[in-house]
Amino acid sequence: MRLIVENRFALFGLVALALLALFGVAFAIRPINPELGVTEPGTVRPDLAARVCPAPHESSEDGAESSVAAFAPRVSRDDEGVLWAVPLAEAPAEGEEDAAETEDAEEADTEDADEADETENADPSPSRDPDADDRGELLGEEQTEPGRVWNTDTGDAALPTALHAEGSLASGLDAAQTTVSDDGITEVRCAEPSIGTWFALPGAEDPDGVDLGTLTVHLSNPEVFRATVSVDIYTMEGPSFSPDSRGIHLGPGESTEFDATELIQSTGSIGVHVRTSTGRVSAALLAEHSSGHSDWVPPTRAPEEHQVVPGVPGGDGTRRLIVAAPGNDPVEVRVHVVTAEPEESEDDRDAEDTGAAGTAEDPLVLNVPPAASAWLTLESVLGGLPGTVVVEADAPVAAGVVAEEVEVDGEEVTVVETAYTAAVDPLTDPLDTTAVIPDMPEGVDVELVLGALEDDARVVATPIAADGSMGDAVRAEVAAGTTHVFGTDTDGWGVPSGADPEDGYAVRLELLEGSGPVYAARILRSGSGISVLPVRPAPVQVELPVVRDSMTGVVP
């Protein structure tokens, strides 16, 4: 001890020795895994889900019929849960919101005073209304069993419909809203809340006439937290925004509409990014073509260097690819198409031997300016056939396709309907092997368009009636590098035996073992009307991210 006190370096030596001993013990008991604090990858079955369907753009008073259908598969005999739907409220205007907050505060003070007076004379055992439901006004019936089709009529709905699912009904859930009228048909997938949603579509006042008359962004907050939303638009000249497109506030269970028409003028293409700074929202885009036809624009995948857009309809009329690049550098995009195999004649084979642009070996090239969008015509490379569009870029881009159905009378060409499709993830191993088409409307022709790129794909489509009974499964094989079309009017499925066609039915798609990835979309045709719904995977199990020892967190 005296040595330690007299030698000023002795204390430092003891501290160093203690630290060395501590690190030696830690090294001896370290895990075998060299990556400390890293979890193993795993999967989980979701037990909570929310979807929002926007209010139909045509009501029953206009002669249109609208309905929402949802389906979640049964995985095991013990599966149970609950699915219900409620209407969302309309968000108050900015001035009305401040007045409402003041009024609510005054009412709260008045209610506190009234409650104090009533406490003295209150019934000691007040009874609760047995018919009251904390979830609000329910739309349709509550469903507690998976494997059945849930649907409700929304023809008179003036507000968005929010679907909530718990337990087994939350895994593999998908929902869509279909509107059928005398002169058209539209379909919109009920979107789950997200912090960011992308769309790609034409702009307004395009010189070639492939343009919009109006564009409306439908925003809904089905959750219990407030959300703050901004809408970014990328035109051919660059970003376009206004004070009204920034900081849109939505309270819990509220919805609103934002008219973006003024922000898309004098441009042939646009990319739309709906993003939140707080909370999450479900976004839907209603585009009215300059010819007067309205359609829902499906959301596309977030920007990446590789995108695949399935379900481009065959036939005459414009087929245009829209690409948006949000980055700060110009982007070179290479595009080729994978079409259905036509019935070839000798002249066709000779033409193929000479080679043509728009193939994987000789792609079309599109240059996109920084933080802008651009478009590319596809009619010549599709040749009137259904197809799948493959986009490869040297920087992340978002992609979508617009299709115009036309009638030709001599030299006069009239646009009779429009439809949109967008990039989606493929059905692929190991988790994304199933997808759901929740509704097959009665009296409508249905086509399922499947695209395989590098490997052969095999898919089974099984129709499922509203009561859960299954019809005859149909197997489709798609050769690598081709697009295959089948549906109710060719070699596709039919209504399950014993099911009432008026009740509708769902179709579950399943990728067979050993199959390559496949991209899918569903096309509805009714008279001159056409609608395209890109089919996204609906996995029952989702992958958990690998968690590392860190002071940061990630919000999906």
Side-chain angles (χ1 to χ4, degrees):
M1 182 63 67
R2 182 178 178 182
L3 179 62
I4 296 176
V5 174
E6 292 179 351
N7 191 336
R8 58 180 178 176
F9 297 107
L11 183 60
F12 293 105
L14 288 176
V15 172
L17 183 62
L19 291 175
L20 184 62
L22 180 63
F23 280 106
V25 173
F27 180 80
I29 63 174
R30 76 191 190 284
I32 299 301
N33 183 2
E35 294 188 84
L36 301 179
V38 180
T39 64
E40 293 292 331
T43 61
V44 66
R45 187 174 181 184
D47 57 4
L48 288 174
R51 302 287 187 272
V52 178
C53 312
H57 66 287
E58 291 183 291
S59 66
S60 56
E61 296 180 357
D62 302 322
E65 297 180 356
S66 297
S67 62
V68 172
F71 180 82
R74 174 181 289 278
V75 178
S76 67
R77 200 175 281 181
D78 299 330
D79 281 354
E80 60 181 14
V82 60
L83 183 147
W84 72 95
V86 294
L88 295 180
E90 184 177 358
E94 187 174 348
E96 297 174 355
E97 186 175 359
D98 297 336
E101 290 178 357
T102 303
E103 184 178 350
D104 290 343
E106 294 175 353
E107 290 180 356
D109 294 338
T110 304
E111 289 175 0
D112 291 342
D114 292 341
E115 288 177 2
D117 295 337
E118 292 174 0
T119 301
E120 300 178 0
N121 303 319
D123 188 340
S125 57
S127 59
R128 182 180 181 275
D129 183 1
D131 296 331
D133 195 319
D134 296 336
R135 297 172 296 185
E137 177 191 357
L138 296 186
L139 301 177
E141 297 181 358
E142 179 182 274
Q143 183 162 306
T144 58
E145 187 177 350
R148 296 173 177 265
V149 180
W150 179 93
N151 59 67
T152 188
D153 184 7
T154 56
D156 297 325
L159 295 169
T161 300
L163 282 75
H164 297 273
E166 297 178 355
S168 299
L169 280 159
S171 60
L173 174 69
D174 212 339
Q177 179 174 261
T178 306
T179 300
V180 182
S181 60
D182 294 336
D183 59 349
I185 182 170
T186 61
E187 184 176 23
V188 57
R189 182 178 181 270
C190 303
E192 55 190 309
S194 171
I195 62 173
T197 307
W198 283 86
F199 304 86
L201 63 156
E205 298 183 4
D206 178 67
D208 298 329
V210 185
D211 55 8
L212 305 181
T214 63
L215 179 65
T216 307
V217 185
H218 293 246
L219 304 171
S220 301
N221 177 17
E223 301 190 324
V224 296
F225 305 102
R226 290 183 61 86
T228 304
V229 192
S230 295
V231 180
D232 300 327
I233 295 179
Y234 298 87
T235 69
M236 296 180 67
E237 290 73 32
S240 176
F241 58 90
S242 70
D244 292 336
S245 67
R246 293 286 189 267
I248 303 171
H249 298 286
L250 286 178
E254 291 183 349
S255 64
T256 190
E257 297 178 8
F258 171 68
D259 187 353
T261 307
E262 293 300 321
L263 302 178
I264 65 170
Q265 300 301 313
S266 303
T267 182
S269 61
I270 58 172
V272 179
H273 184 203
V274 179
R275 57 182 175 85
T276 64
S277 54
T278 58
R280 303 190 302 173
V281 297
S282 299
L285 221 58
L286 182 64
E288 181 181 348
H289 194 268
S290 56
S291 62
H293 306 284
S294 296
D295 293 274
W296 296 102
V297 182
T300 190
R301 294 177 73 240
E304 287 191 10
E305 296 179 1
H306 180 79
Q307 303 280 14
V308 178
V309 183
V312 181
D316 298 328
T318 298
R319 303 292 187 267
R320 179 177 287 189
L321 171 71
I322 292 94
V323 177
N328 296 323
D329 298 314
V331 181
E332 181 181 275
V333 180
R334 296 164 297 282
V335 181
H336 71 273
V337 299
V338 175
T339 62
E341 294 180 335
E343 296 181 2
E344 296 180 328
S345 64
E346 184 176 348
D347 293 338
D348 295 330
R349 288 190 293 270
D350 292 341
E352 283 188 3
D353 292 340
T354 62
T359 62
E361 294 76 17
D362 185 17
L364 303 175
V365 177
L366 175 66
N367 293 304
V368 186
S373 62
W375 60 269
L376 181 69
T377 183
L378 299 175
E379 297 95 288
S380 60
V381 294
L382 288 169
L385 298 172
T388 304
V389 181
V390 181
V391 176
E392 295 178 339
D394 52 17
V397 296
V401 171
V402 58
E404 293 183 347
E405 296 290 296
V406 298
E407 287 184 353
V408 181
D409 184 8
E411 295 183 356
E412 183 178 355
V413 179
T414 304
V415 177
V416 296
E417 187 59 288
T418 55
Y420 301 87
T421 182
V424 292
D425 291 316
L427 297 182
T428 185
D429 287 329
L431 298 178
D432 295 336
T433 58
T434 59
V436 171
I437 302 175
D439 186 28
M440 291 290 172
E442 182 187 13
V444 174
D445 293 332
V446 180
E447 298 175 358
L448 186 64
V449 183
L450 304 174
L453 302 185
E454 299 178 354
D455 300 305
D456 295 342
R458 297 182 299 279
V459 178
V460 169
T462 305
I464 302 174
D467 62 359
S469 60
M470 296 185 181
D472 296 333
V474 177
R475 175 171 171 165
E477 297 189 2
V478 188
T482 65
T483 295
H484 178 69
V485 181
F486 75 110
T488 52
D489 60 345
T490 55
D491 54 349
W493 59 85
V495 180
S497 178
D500 187 350
E502 293 185 358
D503 295 337
Y505 63 98
V507 172
R508 186 182 186 193
L509 303 179
E510 185 174 1
L511 196 69
L512 295 179
E513 185 176 355
S515 169
V518 64
Y519 298 84
R522 191 267 293 273
I523 298 178
L524 297 179
R525 297 182 185 270
S526 177
S528 61
I530 183 174
S531 178
V532 181
L533 180 71
V535 177
R536 300 172 56 180
V540 175
Q541 298 275 345
V542 296
E543 186 175 8
L544 291 174
V546 174
V547 179
R548 299 178 181 274
D549 227 352
S550 171
M551 297 297 291
T552 62
V554 177
V555 179

